[in-house]
Amino acid sequence: MSDDPYLLVPTAPSVDEYLHLRAASGLSPKNAEQAAPVLTSSWAFCHVREVATDRAVAMGRTLGDGGWYFHIADIATLPEHQSRGLGRRVMGWLLDQIADRAPADPYVTLNADEPGRPLYRSLGFVETAPASIAMRLAR
């Protein structure tokens, strides 16, 4: 039996857990209609459960075509569980999935909000500007 208070689960959390993790960790809130396809359409998804409470406390997912392009998204950890290595554990699992399942030389991207940048840099991510910048459709 492990003394680890957390268990990484290689699946998506429930819709309610996904919505809670996004909102509570500071990501933009979404609704159930937006969340439902996310949980079944991601290339890879994992979440971390606190063993004592069986509560989802962290998550992350990868979008991808399965060939060369992969985008990491929804890296979220509840504030009271931050600074315990859970984001690193999630990122490690997602990157391992790409390394194990994708063809050689994948292109892996993410949008790095300020709080996550030190973690992403420590894992080998670099800024792409000025060669390229992230853009979104503004409405």
Side-chain angles (χ1 to χ4, degrees), residues 8-109:
L8 188 137
V9 181
T11 62
S14 71
V15 169
D16 289 341
E17 290 170 327
Y18 173 80
L19 294 172
H20 176 69
L21 279 163
R22 280 193 62 86
S25 67
L27 298 179
S28 57
K30 300 297 176 198
N31 62 45
E33 183 180 14
Q34 293 168 314
V38 166
L39 304 185
T40 58
S41 299
S42 297
W43 187 80
F45 213 136
C46 73
H47 70 285
V48 176
R49 301 194 79 77
E50 182 180 37
V51 174
T53 63
D54 194 34
R55 186 170 72 135
V57 297
M59 69 174 178
R61 66 187 179 112
T62 302
L63 312 171
D65 57 23
W68 68 271
Y69 182 76
F70 300 88
H71 183 81
I72 294 175
D74 289 335
I75 302 300
T77 302
L78 293 179
E80 63 270 25
H81 294 273
Q82 291 176 0
S83 300
R84 298 180 187 182
L86 301 181
R88 180 172 298 280
R89 191 182 297 191
V90 167
M91 287 291 298
W93 187 87
L94 294 172
L95 293 171
D96 285 349
Q97 289 298 301
I98 294 168
D100 293 346
R101 296 171 43 201
D105 199 27
Y107 184 72
V108 182
T109 64

Side-chain angles (χ1 to χ4, degrees), residues 103-125:
D105 199 27
Y107 184 72
V108 182
T109 64
L110 54 74
N111 290 332
D113 293 336
E114 183 59 39
R117 290 179 192 162
L119 169 62
Y120 305 142
R121 284 186 189 108
S122 76
L123 294 169
F125 285 86

